[in-house]
Amino acid sequence: MAMTVCINQPHYLPYLGYFKMIDECDVFVFYDDVQFEKQSWQCRNKIPQEDGFAYMQVPTKKTYTELNFQLPLGNLIQTNPKVFFAPPINQVEIRVPDFYLSQIDLLKSNYQKSPYLKELLEILEPIFKAQFNKLSELNITLIKVLANYIDLKIPVWYQSSAIKIKGGQTERLVNICARMGADSYLSPVGSKAYLEEGLFAENGIKLRYLNINPPDHWSIIHSLLTLGPQKTKEIIQNQLCINTD
């Protein structure tokens, strides 16, 4: 039986393309043990407003650890250079538990005339009020609940931290696919720049890319509040493009 796997970092309230990949795959792996990036989709997303856009963001605790060691610098030795390393996403903690209150106010202000606002807030608020300690737990819960709300085809969910498969950048993706018995891997088209495509071919795995033209990276929240869940589902399933090469 054909099987498509998608492996993606757990983003915060991601854009429509993220949910297209969920709808297109049989197994979705949250890549939750790769390095956290503070100014990234891992902890924030954006919605449009009159003066441009506004960020919806999860405040996180200090994530970078300063390393203390000596580094050769020509004929000198530099002591305690400022070198910082971020932890994996699944170790990042939320700094302000009630951060969502200002975001709810932002949604009420920007989408006050939306007929879908009340229903969507009834879905989001219990998740926020649960006050997850870890960023990845919050993101994964929101993604799963919204996929169900839109009524997408729900894949089997995994987290890479639980699978514990090693390897280099592309090698690890291939190894995860192989573990799942995949014959197809679905990836954002932006990954084409660094994926070693030959490794997939060598393992009998076909690469498929999601390519949105023109790109629209507003959070799915914008679509849900302007178009509603049914129209959002139709856009995801019928208007977003999957390339096979």
Side-chain angles (χ1 to χ4, degrees), residues 93-111:
E93 296 182 359
I94 297 172
R95 176 166 51 84
V96 184
D98 61 354
F99 74 93
Y100 65 90
L101 294 174
S102 61
Q103 299 192 9
I104 295 298
D105 288 342
L106 178 66
L107 294 180
K108 288 180 178 178
S109 175
N110 281 18
Y111 301 98

Side-chain angles (χ1 to χ4, degrees), residues 213-233:
N213 188 24
D216 180 358
H217 285 280
W218 299 128
S219 167
I220 193 171
I221 294 300
H222 176 63
S223 180
L224 290 173
L225 288 175
T226 54
L227 302 174
Q230 182 57 43
K231 182 61 177 176
T232 297
K233 177 183 178 179

Side-chain angles (χ1 to χ4, degrees), residues 35-192:
Q35 191 175 53
F36 174 66
E37 298 175 43
K38 192 170 181 64
Q39 303 299 324
S40 73
W41 303 126
Q42 296 168 0
C43 61
R44 69 180 185 179
N45 224 299
K46 58 184 182 179
I47 58 172
Q49 59 180 23
E50 288 184 3
D51 58 350
F53 66 88
Y55 277 117
M56 299 183 67
Q57 184 161 346
V58 184
T60 57
K61 292 184 179 179
K62 180 182 177 182
T63 56
Y64 287 79
T65 301
E66 185 173 349
L67 301 183
N68 295 316
F69 60 92
Q70 292 185 331
L71 183 68
L73 187 62
N75 295 324
L76 304 174
I77 296 293
Q78 181 185 8
T79 303
N80 298 331
K82 291 186 177 181
V83 178
F84 299 88
F85 283 90
I89 304 169
N90 64 346
Q91 293 181 16
V92 174
E93 296 182 359
I94 297 172
R95 176 166 51 84
V96 184
D98 61 354
F99 74 93
Y100 65 90
L101 294 174
S102 61
Q103 299 192 9
I104 295 298
D105 288 342
L106 178 66
L107 294 180
K108 288 180 178 178
S109 175
N110 281 18
Y111 301 98
Q112 57 185 306
K113 296 181 180 179
S114 168
Y116 311 104
L117 178 61
K118 182 176 183 295
E119 181 177 271
L120 186 60
L121 291 183
E122 288 174 351
I123 292 171
L124 294 178
E125 286 187 313
I127 300 173
F128 286 129
K129 288 178 179 178
Q131 295 193 347
F132 288 92
N133 181 49
K134 297 292 179 61
L135 173 67
S136 62
E137 294 173 356
L138 171 64
N139 289 354
I140 290 170
T141 300
L142 286 168
I143 289 166
K144 289 181 176 180
V145 168
L146 290 176
N148 275 291
Y149 175 55
I150 304 167
D151 192 29
L152 298 179
K153 179 177 75 69
I154 302 301
V156 178
W157 307 104
Y158 286 96
Q159 291 172 230
S160 59
S161 57
I163 301 173
K164 300 184 185 303
I165 292 178
K166 305 298 182 181
Q169 189 172 41
T170 300
E171 182 185 16
R172 190 179 184 208
L173 300 178
V174 171
N175 290 343
I176 292 174
C177 288
R179 170 73 66 84
M180 299 298 167
D183 53 19
S184 175
Y185 175 64
L186 179 59
S187 173
V189 72
S191 301
K192 191 178 180 69

